[in-house]
């Protein structure tokens, strides 16, 4: 429950982006040319992409190289090779900011929804970076966009039982590698307009860890809540098959937020003893403009309340699990006493909501 005496704290959040950056217009032009010969279809794609609120996206490969990649075997091999250095960059930056060494990490929660492997990428990461052999790894595939929020909550659950423990949450998403050139569906047209590549690492410690003796305020996880919505399995996610990952993205997601989301937030707030008016910072997964507008409407927020989410969306698009962690980093260190609610929505459809307080 939320009122557990032990609460995990966040020491560092490190968002990283791959090196290749393209404007939204450049990406649209390349995709429109490669996906369809129909001028009407191209016009629809251009209109939808232009309305996304996105200015630039970062890509694991140069834009011109995507057209030559064929099949899931090739894209999945590229994922392993390109995701690893991105994860290493994020972990290196997060540990440096936290003032901790690689061999001090006890627990690694790794998440992605854009590449598959067994051993999973976190095993390669542990080997390449020199983590201890007794590192406890939890690789997660399938939480998707919700996984940044879910990861914070699950790591906090782990640290409640390991008050001197050090844990890492690592999210790596190379959405660009899932591109399906031959899929004319509206889901793919919309998806190719919003998803970008990125990663993030978060260092968290149990409440008895010596690093907490330092004076600066740290965010602690004071509570979390999960919600799985019935009859929504086909709304967000992948159809996985021979060609790799084909996007499912239904128009009903905003309606789902309208109907259910505020209730789940209010239940968590009641558990931790806060009112909505006492929340200083709303840290929303930047799922896309319609999703952010629906979050604002459901929670009755002023447009400026989700400014950090809109900024991340404009700069980097929807990076699935990593995106909400970029939004968390966007606000920088908050003053002591700041209360925040961090949340995301993903395949299931599921919501994850986390209450944070800086102290």
């Amino acid at each position: 429950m939320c009122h557990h005496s032990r609460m995990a704290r966040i020491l560092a959040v490190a968002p990283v982006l791959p090196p290749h950056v393209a404007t939204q217009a450049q990406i649209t032009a390349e995709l429109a040319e490669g996906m369809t010969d129909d001028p009407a279809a191209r016009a629809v794609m251009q209109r939808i992409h232009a309305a996304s609120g996105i200015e630039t996206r970062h890509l694991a490969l140069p834009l011109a190289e995507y057209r030559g990649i064929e099949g899931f075997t090739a894209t999945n091999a590229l994922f392993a090779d390109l995701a690893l250095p991105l994860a290493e960059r994020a972990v290196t930056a997060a540990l440096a900011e936290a003032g901790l060494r690689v061999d001090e990490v006890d627990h690694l929660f790794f998440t992605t929804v854009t590449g598959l492997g067994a051993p999973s990428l976190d095993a390669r990461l542990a080997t390449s970076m020199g983590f201890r052999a007794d590192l406890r790894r939890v690789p997660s595939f399938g939480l998707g966009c919700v996984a940044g929020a879910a990861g914070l909550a699950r790591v906090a659950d782990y640290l409640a039982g390991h008050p001197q423990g050090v844990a890492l949450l690592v999210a790596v998403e190379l959405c660009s590698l899932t591109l399906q050139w031959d899929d004319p569906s509206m889901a793919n047209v919309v998806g190719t307009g919003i998803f970008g590549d990125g990663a993030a690492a978060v260092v968290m410690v149990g409440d008895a860890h010596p690093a907490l003796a330092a004076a600066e305020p740290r965010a602690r996880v004071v509570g979390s809540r999960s919600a799985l919505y019935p009859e929504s399995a086909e709304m967000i996610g992948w159809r996985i098959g021979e060609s790799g990952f084909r996007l499912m993205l239904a128009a009903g997601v905003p309606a789902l937020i309208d109907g259910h989301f505020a209730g789940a937030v209010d239940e968590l707030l009641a558990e931790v003893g806060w009112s909505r008016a006492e929340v200083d910072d709303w840290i929303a997964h930047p799922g896309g403009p319609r999703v952010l507008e629906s979050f604002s409407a459901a929670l009755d927020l002023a447009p400026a309340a989700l400014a950090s989410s809109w900024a991340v969306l404009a700069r980097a698009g929807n990076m699935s699990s990593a995106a909400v962690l970029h939004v968390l980093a966007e606000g920088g260190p908050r003053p002591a006493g700041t209360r925040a609610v961090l949340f995301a929505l993903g395949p299931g459809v599921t919501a994850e909501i986390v209450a944070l307080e800086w102290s």
Side-chain angles (χ1 to χ4, degrees):
M1 279 300 286
C2 293
H3 304 296
H4 204 292
S5 59
R6 290 179 180 155
M7 288 299 170
R9 293 180 190 244
I10 297 172
L11 292 191
V13 184
V16 297
L17 294 164
H20 309 286
V21 62
T23 66
Q24 183 75 333
Q26 286 170 326
I27 292 171
T28 305
E30 177 71 14
L31 293 180
E33 195 182 320
M35 287 173 75
T36 179
D37 297 326
D38 175 11
R42 287 182 181 179
V44 168
M45 184 181 268
Q46 279 159 343
R47 191 179 76 243
I48 288 172
H49 287 197
S52 65
I54 294 168
E55 291 157 23
T56 56
R57 285 185 275 166
H58 289 251
L59 305 171
L61 291 169
L63 182 57
E65 288 183 23
Y66 285 90
R67 235 188 279 196
I69 307 165
E70 294 267 324
F72 182 51
T73 303
T75 54
N76 203 49
L78 280 168
F79 175 85
D81 290 342
L82 296 167
L84 183 62
L86 206 58
E88 289 170 342
R89 267 178 57 204
V91 170
T92 301
L95 287 172
E97 189 189 324
L100 294 172
R101 299 186 314 271
V102 169
D103 63 6
E104 292 177 277
V105 177
D106 306 300
H107 182 78
L108 171 60
F109 185 102
F110 174 83
T111 190
T112 187
V113 76
T114 51
L116 292 170
S120 47
L121 193 74
D122 50 299
R124 290 184 58 190
L125 180 68
T127 305
S128 75
M129 293 200 69
F131 284 98
R132 294 200 317 266
D134 67 342
L135 176 76
R136 295 178 181 185
R137 295 184 299 111
V138 181
S140 149
F141 178 90
L143 286 169
C145 293
V146 86
L152 292 174
R154 297 300 84 78
V155 170
D157 292 343
Y158 170 82
L159 290 170
H162 299 84
Q164 295 199 332
V166 175
L168 263 174
L169 164 61
V170 179
V172 188
E173 304 288 8
L174 303 185
C175 302
S176 65
L177 292 176
T178 67
L179 179 59
Q180 303 285 327
W181 289 102
D182 63 344
D183 178 3
S185 70
M186 189 51 74
N188 196 39
V189 170
V190 172
T192 53
I194 58 173
F195 287 103
D197 298 352
V202 182
V203 179
M204 297 170 68
V205 295
D207 79 326
H209 192 276
L212 296 173
E216 69 261 42
R218 307 287 196 184
R220 60 191 185 106
V221 176
V222 294
S224 64
R225 191 169 190 92
S226 305
L228 180 62
Y229 303 131
E231 310 300 318
S232 62
E234 304 289 304
M235 292 183 96
I236 305 174
W238 299 124
R239 287 191 177 84
I240 299 179
E242 288 174 55
S243 67
F245 300 120
R246 276 183 192 261
L247 192 65
M248 296 188 295
L249 197 60
V253 174
L256 207 59
I257 296 171
D258 298 342
H260 298 278
F261 189 71
V265 170
D266 289 339
E267 284 165 11
L268 174 60
L269 292 178
E271 263 177 47
V272 299
W274 301 352
S275 70
R276 270 197 228 171
E278 290 173 303
V279 176
D280 304 298
D281 199 357
W282 299 91
I283 302 169
H285 166 64
R290 289 288 308 281
V291 169
L292 287 177
E293 285 161 6
S294 299
F295 282 143
S296 289
L299 296 169
D300 205 21
L301 299 175
L306 300 184
S308 293
S309 298
W310 285 101
V312 168
L313 185 68
R315 189 168 65 240
N318 175 354
M319 298 166 279
S320 191
S321 65
V324 77
L325 303 175
H326 280 243
V327 179
L328 174 61
E330 184 81 0
R334 277 76 164 177
T338 302
R339 289 175 169 180
V341 176
L342 178 148
F343 52 91
L345 209 66
V349 168
T350 185
E352 287 280 344
I353 308 161
V354 182
L356 300 170
E357 185 167 20
W358 274 257
S359 60

